[in-house]
Amino acid sequence: MRHYELDDADVAVIVGSGPGGASLALRLARAGLDVVMLESGRWIDPEDFVDDERIAFAQLSWLEARQATGGWTLARDFPALPAWNGHAVGGTALLWTGLTPRFKDHEFRTRSSYGEIAGASLADWPIDPAELAPYYAESERAMGVSHREGRPPMPANTSYRVFANGAERVGYRHYATGPYATNVEPYDGRPGTIQDGFNSQGDRRRSKWTPLVSEIPKAIATERFELRPESHAVRITLDAAGRADGVEYLDRDGVLRRQRAALVAVAGNAIETPRLLLLSATTGHERGLGNASDHLGRHYMRHTTGVVYGQFPDEVHMYRGENMAGIVADESRHDPERGFAGGYYLETISQGLPSFTTFMEPGGWGADFTARVEGYTRTAASWICGEDLPQPGNRVTLSSTLVDRWGLPAPEVHYDDHPNDVAMREHAYGRVEAMFRAVGAERVWRAPAMPSGHNLGTARMSADPADGVVDPEGRVHGVPNLFVSDGSVFTTGAAANPTLTIMALSLRQGDRIVDARRRGER
Amino acid sequence: MTEDQPASPAPGATASTLLALARALYPHDRLPDGPYERAVALLAADAAASAELSALVAAGAAEAGAALGDPAAATAEARTAWLESHQGEPFFAFVRERICFHLYDDREVWQLLGYPGPSYALGGYLHRGFDELPWLPDPRVVESDEPLVELGPLDPSVASAASAASAASAAAASTGAEATA
Ligand SMILES: Cc1cc2nc3c(=O)[nH]c(=O)nc-3n(C[C@H](O)[C@H](O)[C@H](O)COP(=O)(O)OP(=O)(O)OC[C@H]3O[C@@H](n4cnc5c(N)ncnc54)[C@H](O)[C@@H]3O)c2cc1C
């Protein structure tokens, strides 16, 4: 692998090796830029992944101090774990399952489509959806998304069979096993899935797309890229002219280093990205970088979610096969007649016994609980993924009491449901219950949110610096060579799972950066 | 945790009280004592990591022991009632969470409840039934050719089927035959 010196001033420094950062890195390195990637977590070889929910959770997850506050159920159920993020090379994609719906056009224009909604900070994205379309297609190709461009669809596993039949019987039309970013057949040098489950444990087989098995090795092969794992960024520094000129980080021995930089891109996910920008406050940017108009950390979104379980007279064996290879799109429309704005997807979810008992009724116990545990092999489940509304008070701030292992203020994540979120969730719960009953469920029950896998909106994109943190290219307002390259930039969240859009935005951003360089801009 | 995992046992009286509480928290007639004993031993090891937790567990177990007489001999109802009256207290919260965590991570429990664990070494389920669900028809797997409604209500025929199903589901729920969590 190429090595760059700490005082090499002409490198692009990217913080975070998840889908956002890794896609940008590969784009820049292939275009001939020199890239140094700082990743807080370790390099873990896929062979060292462990198909055990508890062991893998400890191996792959971000377990630094965090605190959930507010009215959301996570503040009650999992106060120290508001979000489930990855902490290793490849980021949260090591945990992800791989559904990749695109945004709908109107979801880029929610203020115009939904109108004014009290309490919500709806805004239109300052970009044209048509411009993103080719980047969506390219992202699907990069991930090898199923049933696109001639690739085969994912076959139906047991969970999907229950889910799709239920959908059909309640009158839905738009159910399918994907789009899903795991190989059905060999693709891009990686094998097809053996339906072994354990998507969220890294995927030993490498059938699931992650940056660890795709963008990162490809970037290394360009000889224009250096990956530095166990390098935790703590501050972005600015020069006298107000441009980013370096990133300070703690290496694996806790030694503070500083990599000089020609440009900096932050892709630490929507909790760590605003934290780093807040921690980088300096003269002229007293409230943090990009925070002149007080939007940094605000408008935090995590999707309106919850799980419905159905128990059947016959066996399901949900643990068999891909963990989320099923989606219903009929309710993803915006249809105010249902009593709320925006839409939601219903998605299959399968859990091993340890996760099932943790999430199917957080805090539950007693004979009624164990009766449901006894029915584990006869259970199917569906996860709700709906658009939640941005609210300025839902925000990531620096804790005044908690610190992480590096001694830095921990993030506090505050979230209150908007009435629209509550109405949507109620509707979605009812629809899944109807689906499961339509195929003979003897019992259905609702469970609250699991720690958030989708984290969005804390460095929102806006054309006018007064309305957000980054411009339409993801460039931080007021710091011309500092970029944000993850879901933090989402102006609004849409119903879709976010990662395809995160990647598409990174590729587009990469092209803009390369074009600007070619024009001689720096 | 595996069955032969060594763990530090709690002292006698505490351990037998915790064992009785563990069974009352997560009662499975099919499970022998072994998994509960292992869960209690692992809980005790977790508590031993901090003086504060050790004291919490010792005090809580002593209180439960005193209230229940011989906890092992107390009726299931008495144990459940004691737990109910102590919900929300730190001792209950710690014991419930740790027992749930360890009990359902026990290989013997997995086996009795039908969870096989890892499948990679066996070739996954590709040729071992990932798609085996004989009690329902084969569903379509590819996306529908019909246009997806993005704005406004569904086609009336779909909407009426869907709302009829919802109403039926709501009626089933309101029979009260089932609790929802
Ligand atoms: C269980 C689960 C299932 C999911 N399923 C889906 C799905 O089906 N479809 C979908 O679209 N999305 C899914 N997601 C979400 C998906 O994983 C994320 O959207 C995606 O990984 C975000 O990419 P990212 O690059 O923005 O951030 P991440 O992937 O989180 O990467 C951020 C990286 O930055 C590193 N980092 C953070 N701070 C610092 C710092 N200060 N210095 C150095 N490094 C730092 C982190 O260690 C991490 O590696 C799922 C998530 C989970 C948890």
Side-chain angles (χ1 to χ4, degrees):
Chain A
M1 183 165 58
R2 182 78 176 264
H3 171 72
Y4 296 95
E5 299 302 325
L6 289 175
D7 62 1
D8 193 333
D10 200 34
V11 299
V13 177
I14 298 179
V15 178
S17 67
S23 303
L24 179 65
L26 179 59
R27 194 59 143 213
L28 298 184
R30 281 193 171 156
L33 275 72
D34 294 289
V35 179
V36 170
M37 174 172 279
L38 304 176
E39 165 55 54
S40 174
R42 292 186 298 140
W43 173 280
I44 303 172
D45 195 274
E47 285 183 16
D48 296 326
F49 290 147
V50 188
D51 286 350
D52 178 293
E53 291 179 317
R54 294 279 163 71
I55 296 170
F57 178 82
Q59 180 189 37
L60 304 177
S61 306
W62 187 282
L63 298 173
E64 292 307 314
R66 283 179 174 173
Q67 194 184 353
T69 61
W72 58 342
T73 54
L74 289 172
R76 174 197 73 199
D77 296 335
F78 304 99
L81 199 75
W84 190 17
N85 288 144
H87 193 189
V89 173
T92 310
L94 300 180
L95 316 172
W96 91 317
T97 41
L99 277 171
T100 57
R102 297 184 182 191
F103 277 32
K104 299 175 182 27
D105 284 359
H106 74 263
E107 291 176 316
F108 288 103
R109 295 187 297 264
T110 52
R111 178 63 185 78
S112 306
S113 314
Y114 304 169
E116 166 97 44
I117 298 179
S121 43
L122 284 175
D124 292 355
W125 287 59
I127 64 177
D128 177 2
E131 200 207 320
L132 212 55
Y135 291 106
Y136 268 140
E138 188 184 348
S139 302
E140 287 163 350
R141 212 169 301 135
M143 295 184 187
V145 168
S146 67
H147 206 220
R148 294 286 180 271
E149 301 189 344
R151 287 181 296 274
M154 191 55 72
N157 64 15
T158 58
S159 294
Y160 179 75
R161 284 166 185 270
V162 175
F163 178 79
N165 275 290
E168 172 74 32
R169 288 189 196 172
V170 303
Y172 289 149
R173 305 280 200 264
H174 294 278
Y175 53 85
T177 55
Y180 199 76
T182 286
N183 291 349
V184 179
E185 288 175 352
Y187 177 81
D188 199 22
R190 294 178 291 110
T193 175
I194 53 171
Q195 302 286 348
D196 49 336
F198 295 98
N199 296 67
S200 298
Q201 288 66 38
D203 186 25
R204 291 174 61 93
R205 190 167 162 87
R206 303 161 66 251
S207 303
K208 178 179 86 163
W209 174 84
T210 72
L212 177 69
V213 297
S214 185
E215 280 69 14
I216 302 281
K218 288 172 186 169
I220 291 172
T222 64
E223 292 287 333
R224 288 279 193 173
F225 172 81
E226 180 183 350
L227 171 69
R228 289 188 203 149
E230 295 173 80
S231 299
H232 184 79
V234 297
R235 197 161 77 98
I236 296 157
T237 58
L238 304 189
D239 67 14
R243 295 171 58 88
D245 67 352
V247 180
E248 291 177 353
Y249 66 97
L250 292 162
D251 73 9
R252 73 193 52 170
D253 302 315
V255 177
L256 187 69
R257 313 237 172 230
R258 177 166 173 272
Q259 175 65 51
R260 293 183 67 190
L263 71 91
V264 175
V266 186
N269 207 323
I271 296 175
E272 293 310 316
T273 288
R275 183 163 78 125
L276 182 58
L277 296 176
L278 288 166
L279 288 170
S280 301
T282 184
T283 313
H285 301 264
E286 281 76 8
R287 292 195 292 195
L289 304 181
N291 202 18
S293 55
D294 193 24
H295 288 286
L296 181 62
R298 294 186 183 274
H299 317 286
Y300 169 72
M301 296 171 288
R302 48 89 184 217
H303 278 138
T304 291
T305 177
V307 182
V308 177
Y309 296 85
Q311 237 157 39
F312 298 87
D314 299 296
E315 297 290 316
V316 178
H317 301 293
M318 64 148 82
Y319 54 81
R320 295 184 185 172
E322 292 295 326
N323 295 154
M324 200 172 250
I327 186 165
V328 166
D330 298 74
E331 301 285 2
S332 66
R333 68 194 193 279
H334 167 60
D335 173 9
E337 282 186 22
R338 291 173 301 184
F340 53 88
Y344 61 86
Y345 289 94
L346 300 175
E347 305 179 350
T348 59
I349 185 167
S350 66
Q351 296 166 331
L353 188 67
S355 291
F356 176 71
T357 49
T358 303
F359 296 119
M360 68 95 157
E361 188 194 333
W365 63 281
D368 184 62
F369 184 94
T370 50
R372 283 174 283 158
V373 176
E374 298 258 340
Y376 169 67
T377 62
R378 294 181 284 102
T379 308
S382 174
W383 189 72
I384 297 159
C385 185
E387 177 164 19
D388 58 340
L389 299 185
Q391 299 180 71
N394 287 349
R395 65 187 295 207
V396 174
T397 53
L398 300 178
S399 170
S400 53
T401 49
L402 271 185
V403 291
D404 65 13
R405 86 161 97 142
W406 299 282
L408 300 166
E412 194 172 302
V413 186
H414 182 92
Y415 190 96
D416 294 307
D417 285 318
H418 188 278
N420 196 80
D421 306 339
V422 176
M424 178 187 288
R425 189 165 48 236
E426 271 306 299
H427 191 268
Y429 276 142
R431 302 323 329 280
V432 186
E433 289 173 347
M435 281 168 52
F436 284 159
R437 287 195 200 281
V439 283
E442 290 176 330
R443 175 159 194 186
V444 295
W445 74 94
R446 303 172 174 194
M450 299 179 286
S452 309
H454 302 172
N455 298 279
L456 307 166
T458 50
R460 79 181 339 197
M461 186 184 282
S462 67
D464 184 341
D467 300 331
V469 178
V470 301
D471 77 3
E473 299 178 13
R475 185 192 306 265
V476 172
H477 290 304
V479 189
N481 64 338
L482 174 60
F483 295 82
V484 176
S485 318
D486 62 24
S488 310
V489 305
F490 282 27
T491 309
T492 54
N497 310 55
T499 310
L500 188 77
T501 304
I502 291 173
M503 185 192 268
L505 289 169
S506 277
L507 295 177
R508 174 177 169 275
Q509 179 181 68
D511 281 355
R512 297 296 177 88
I513 291 173
V514 170
D515 286 350
R517 278 227 157 190
R518 292 204 174 122
R519 287 196 305 269
E521 296 166 23
R522 308 233 80 199
Chain B
M1 292 295 112
T2 52
E3 290 156 53
D4 49 4
Q5 172 93 18
S8 60
T14 300
S16 68
T17 300
L18 291 174
L19 181 64
L21 295 181
R23 268 217 175 266
L25 281 166
Y26 295 104
H28 291 279
D29 294 344
R30 291 197 277 158
L31 292 188
D33 277 340
Y36 292 100
E37 284 164 2
R38 289 190 287 275
V40 165
L42 289 164
L43 175 156
D46 294 337
S50 104
E52 203 183 321
L53 283 174
S54 305
L56 178 78
V57 169
E63 191 194 329
L68 292 167
D70 175 2
T75 63
E77 289 72 25
R79 288 182 279 178
T80 303
W82 188 87
L83 286 166
E84 266 164 5
S85 64
H86 289 77
Q87 286 195 80
E89 292 175 12
F91 170 74
F92 175 92
F94 179 74
V95 171
R96 188 216 61 79
E97 195 277 332
R98 287 290 89 189
I99 293 297
C100 186
F101 185 93
H102 292 303
L103 183 68
Y104 296 119
D105 201 26
D106 186 287
R107 296 301 178 271
E108 190 180 352
V109 174
W110 287 10
Q111 203 183 3
L112 284 163
L113 295 173
Y115 175 56
S119 69
Y120 185 77
L122 303 169
Y125 292 98
L126 186 59
H127 305 295
R128 295 193 311 127
F130 83 98
D131 54 353
E132 240 173 62
L133 196 94
W135 51 277
L136 286 170
D138 281 346
R140 187 188 74 229
V141 298
V142 302
E143 288 146 303
S144 166
D145 303 330
E146 293 176 42
L148 176 72
V149 176
E150 297 198 352
L151 289 168
L154 293 181
D155 178 85
S157 70
V158 177
S160 64
S163 63
S166 260
S169 169
S174 69
T175 60
E178 302 146 351
T180 47

